[in-house]
Amino acid sequence: MEASSITKDTVKPTAKEAHLSVRNLNVHILKNHILKNIDIEIPDKSITCIIGPSGCGKSTLLKTFNRLLDKTENVTITGKVLVDNENLYEKDAEVTHIRKKMGLLSQRPCPLPMSIYDNIAFGCKIHGTRNKKKLDEIVEYQLRAVGLWKEVKDRLHVPANKLSIGQQQRLCLARGLAVEPAFILADEATSALDPISSKHIEELFVELKKDYAIVMVTHTLRQALRIADYVVFMYLGEVIEAGPAEQVFKNPRRELTKKYLEGAFS
Amino acid sequence: MNKKFSNRIFKDKLASGVMLGLTTLSLLLVVGIGIGLYLKSQPILEQKTLWTLLSTTEWKPSNGEFGFLPFILGTLWITGLAIVMALSIALLTAIYLTEYSKSSVKRFVFPALDILAGLPSVVYGVWGTLFIVPWISETLAPHFVEYATGYSTLAGGIVLGVMILPLLISLFVEIFSVVPDDLRNATLSLGATPWQTIKLVVLRKSFSGILAAVVLAISRAFGETIAVLMVCGNLPVIPGSVFDSCYPIPALIANNYGEMLSVPLYDSALMLAAFFLFIVVLVFNAGSRIILHRIER
């Protein structure tokens, strides 16, 4: 199939406008206060980087956005995470519908134990799309969106773990996009990749922010410098400073932020 | 060089040598048993072809007829029934324990499973005789056949199934725990329900592990003797239904070895039966090892 045969209207995921805000969020695991009074807004259609030293709660915060902490034992979550004014932690909130809105890209790529094609089609299938032609279109569209189509179009039915790590990560991104999320949550998504693959993902994020709100946890300050529009700096479970990247990097308001950016601790 | 120093080096060398020797000894034991059984089963193989022995159904040692087919089929029937019954229960239990249950439930269930696994098999035999056999003969069988003693292939299958259940559950739990949480999270983040995650991803990822566990359980079930012997009736006929008696190979050996050894070739026939078991268990164990090894890579 040629590029032209896929028109934007047919399968273009309607990147749903949605807004994410966190209100007074507290997470305890046993007696440990992991997240303390988090109050932030995630700006639409931009890249928000969560930075901070190891163990500051960055990843935990990201996990609260798609309720991946649900299975952790002895966890208490209070406060609100609002997506379009719908609280994810409302008692009767339906989890799968929430998670569908949040594309997740983990630290190490983890392709599902099936073919490249099925990895992308998986999400659509579990949500009820059975039409083969429609699935074919979605698979091709999403593989093109992450620049993988040319590399894999002749071997769509080989197991996904035969791809290189960098390709796998792009496949995972495409897989997430195929269920038409509103957000992309990336948890140090480039840290396991080689520099070239890593750059590839960064470029994709810059491209994708036109349609999605991207929240990425990163351990690399330079990466945040390169691509962040907004920055959230966390330390010991608290948000120390949050704001436009320009301001936070050039004019940090808090002493702690300044020290972290200077490399006084990491 | 002072004396103390060389002394302690010598002790180390000696210790490692002794340990190597003992390790080799236990390996040689396996080989030795195999060779012993093979040699002992030679006399009957010199008189009859292996095929005749395996494919005939008459078992009349005093007439010199040794047809192993009923015993082989009895073993296969019982093992098959046990695996079929235990597999689904063990799979669902293991899924519940790894994917759904809280750790408080696990703390309670795992010790209970250990106890089940550790019970002497004669206890299972008694339980089968006291409860399963009468239940089959009085409650279940009358729906299907006119008369049944209850000492049957089905009773053997049930008792054996219960016996391999703890083994299967603990193997499955281990196999599912190896599936990385990242994979579960990736699937859940696509909006999959936990059940979809398990059915479409976790089970698929652990398929070869499940296969290896089943193979291992089969080899365990094959050799189980006492409990099965107590409930399966021990008649050397090919069972026509699960309510008929049967006579698995281990029971044949246990019941007859030591008696009637004056009958020519009887001794050798039993040794041949033992040699079959040895080979089957060896092959299945090796098979399961190979599968597990391939998963690890």
Side-chain angles (χ1 to χ4, degrees):
Chain A
M1 238 188 285
E2 280 305 306
S4 53
S5 72
I6 300 270
T7 58
K8 267 205 156 188
D9 308 321
T10 50
V11 285
K12 167 85 178 141
T14 38
K16 291 171 180 111
E17 293 274 341
H19 187 73
L20 180 71
S21 42
V22 183
R23 299 280 155 74
N24 199 22
L25 184 74
N26 280 281
V27 173
H28 287 81
I29 296 178
L30 285 172
K31 292 251 164 82
N32 302 319
H33 203 168
I34 309 287
L35 293 180
K36 300 168 187 166
N37 304 316
I38 308 287
D39 242 317
I40 48 170
E41 296 284 324
I42 302 294
D44 302 341
K45 300 201 171 183
S46 44
I47 300 177
T48 305
C49 279
I50 306 178
I51 58 171
S54 303
C56 69
K58 310 183 289 267
S59 294
T60 310
L61 179 60
L62 201 71
K63 281 186 179 143
T64 62
F65 293 171
N66 65 351
R67 295 196 43 172
L68 276 186
L69 286 181
D70 287 15
K71 264 195 74 180
T72 316
E73 294 201 6
N74 304 311
V75 63
T76 331
I77 300 170
T78 59
K80 290 176 178 173
V81 176
L82 299 164
V83 175
D84 290 336
N85 297 317
E86 183 195 356
N87 182 13
L88 302 192
Y89 289 93
E90 207 63 58
K91 270 217 171 78
D92 53 356
E94 208 281 306
V95 185
T96 60
H97 142 87
I98 292 164
R99 290 193 181 130
K100 187 172 175 285
K101 288 186 183 174
M102 306 282 177
L104 177 77
L105 202 57
S106 59
Q107 191 166 2
R108 304 202 117 265
C110 57
L112 306 177
M114 46 190 85
S115 70
I116 295 171
Y117 182 98
D118 286 334
N119 258 273
I120 312 252
F122 182 86
C124 309
K125 281 186 188 161
I126 60 173
H127 292 294
T129 310
R130 294 273 162 211
N131 184 326
K132 177 85 169 66
K133 199 163 163 266
K134 183 100 203 295
L135 287 174
D136 286 348
E137 282 177 13
I138 293 170
V139 168
E140 180 175 348
Y141 183 87
Q142 296 301 352
L143 284 174
R144 280 185 195 282
V146 298
L148 208 54
W149 177 251
K150 280 197 183 125
E151 295 162 51
V152 303
K153 65 177 174 184
D154 299 321
R155 45 178 178 142
L156 288 175
H157 295 283
V158 306
N161 60 13
K162 295 273 184 277
L163 296 174
S164 74
I165 296 283
Q167 289 173 322
Q168 286 183 19
Q169 192 65 313
R170 279 185 281 152
L171 180 73
C172 290
L173 182 57
R175 177 182 71 197
L177 296 178
V179 294
E180 307 184 2
F183 300 87
I184 297 170
L185 310 177
D187 190 356
E188 303 199 27
T190 59
S191 65
L193 306 183
D194 59 276
I196 292 168
S197 306
S198 180
K199 185 158 170 276
H200 218 128
I201 296 278
E202 282 182 17
E203 286 165 357
L204 280 170
F205 279 171
V206 172
E207 185 68 25
L208 288 167
K209 75 175 182 186
K210 290 175 193 152
D211 296 314
Y212 303 89
I214 299 171
V215 186
M216 60 184 288
V217 163
T218 180
H219 207 82
T220 343
L221 265 180
R222 264 172 296 173
Q223 184 173 50
L225 267 169
R226 278 195 297 271
I227 62 172
D229 298 308
Y230 292 86
V231 171
V232 176
F233 171 58
M234 292 182 69
Y235 185 72
L236 297 179
E238 280 179 275
V239 170
I240 304 296
E241 185 160 358
E246 183 101 340
Q247 177 252 306
V248 176
F249 284 132
K250 291 201 173 135
N251 261 318
R253 292 200 194 101
R254 304 279 298 266
E255 192 59 23
L256 205 57
T257 319
K258 199 169 164 226
K259 276 191 175 159
Y260 180 71
L261 294 174
E262 283 168 354
F265 59 94
S266 60
Chain B
M1 229 14 101
N2 65 38
K3 199 176 171 218
K4 234 178 185 172
F5 181 74
S6 60
N7 199 9
R8 112 200 141 87
I9 300 273
F10 171 74
K11 272 186 188 161
D12 181 58
K13 289 231 158 78
L14 183 71
S16 84
V18 168
M19 287 184 283
L20 173 70
L22 292 174
T23 312
T24 322
L25 195 68
S26 57
L27 284 177
L28 281 178
L29 211 56
V30 179
V31 180
I33 290 175
I35 293 174
L37 290 175
Y38 175 75
L39 291 178
K40 281 279 198 177
S41 57
Q42 277 311 294
I44 191 162
L45 288 173
E46 277 161 16
Q47 303 216 356
K48 296 173 190 285
T49 63
L50 188 61
W51 178 244
T52 322
L53 290 170
L54 294 184
S55 63
T56 54
T57 57
E58 288 300 309
W59 182 262
K60 285 179 185 141
S62 40
N63 295 357
E65 290 178 84
F66 298 96
F68 278 106
L69 194 60
F71 304 98
I72 294 169
L73 289 179
T75 306
L76 290 179
W77 264 102
I78 287 190
T79 309
L81 280 174
I83 294 287
V84 167
M85 283 185 284
L87 181 62
S88 44
I89 297 174
L91 259 185
L92 293 175
T93 309
I95 288 173
Y96 175 72
L97 288 173
T98 45
E99 313 288 331
Y100 289 93
S101 78
K102 291 193 171 140
S103 61
S104 51
V105 178
K106 285 179 206 154
R107 268 202 298 278
F108 172 74
V109 173
F110 286 132
L113 286 176
D114 285 343
I115 294 172
L116 270 185
L119 281 183
S121 68
V122 68
V123 174
Y124 284 98
V126 171
W127 168 74
T129 318
L130 288 179
F131 296 97
I132 299 300
V133 169
W135 175 73
I136 290 174
S137 124
E138 287 156 23
T139 313
L140 188 66
H143 294 293
F144 302 96
V145 291
E146 253 171 52
Y147 173 74
T149 59
Y151 288 96
S152 56
T153 314
L154 182 62
I158 292 175
V159 169
L160 196 53
V162 172
M163 289 181 73
I164 58 173
L165 200 56
L167 171 75
L168 272 179
I169 293 173
S170 60
L171 285 172
F172 287 159
V173 164
E174 202 151 308
I175 289 160
F176 293 148
S177 333
V178 176
V179 175
D181 267 341
D182 272 355
L183 192 62
R184 289 189 184 85
N185 287 345
T187 317
L188 291 172
S189 332
L190 296 171
T193 60
W195 178 243
Q196 283 175 321
T197 306
I198 291 152
K199 195 177 63 168
L200 301 170
V201 176
V202 177
L203 281 183
R204 189 188 285 234
K205 182 84 180 171
S206 36
F207 177 75
S208 41
I210 293 172
L211 197 68
V214 170
V215 171
L216 205 62
I218 290 176
S219 91
R220 180 72 56 89
F222 250 94
E224 177 46 45
T225 312
I226 292 297
V228 174
L229 175 156
M230 289 167 77
V231 298
C232 69
N234 303 327
L235 291 179
V237 290
I238 296 174
S241 81
V242 291
F243 299 110
D244 289 345
S245 293
C246 70
Y247 207 161
I249 299 171
L252 168 75
I253 302 169
N255 275 341
N256 297 297
Y257 195 76
E259 295 172 26
M260 297 167 72
L261 286 186
S262 52
V263 177
L265 293 180
Y266 203 162
D267 166 56
S268 179
L270 293 181
M271 284 301 140
L272 182 65
F275 188 59
F276 286 153
L277 281 181
F278 180 84
I279 294 293
V280 168
V281 170
L282 198 74
V283 167
F284 274 66
N285 267 313
S288 132
R289 285 268 163 206
I290 290 167
I291 300 170
L292 284 174
H293 181 70
R294 279 182 55 188
I295 303 171
E296 276 161 25
R297 270 193 304 150

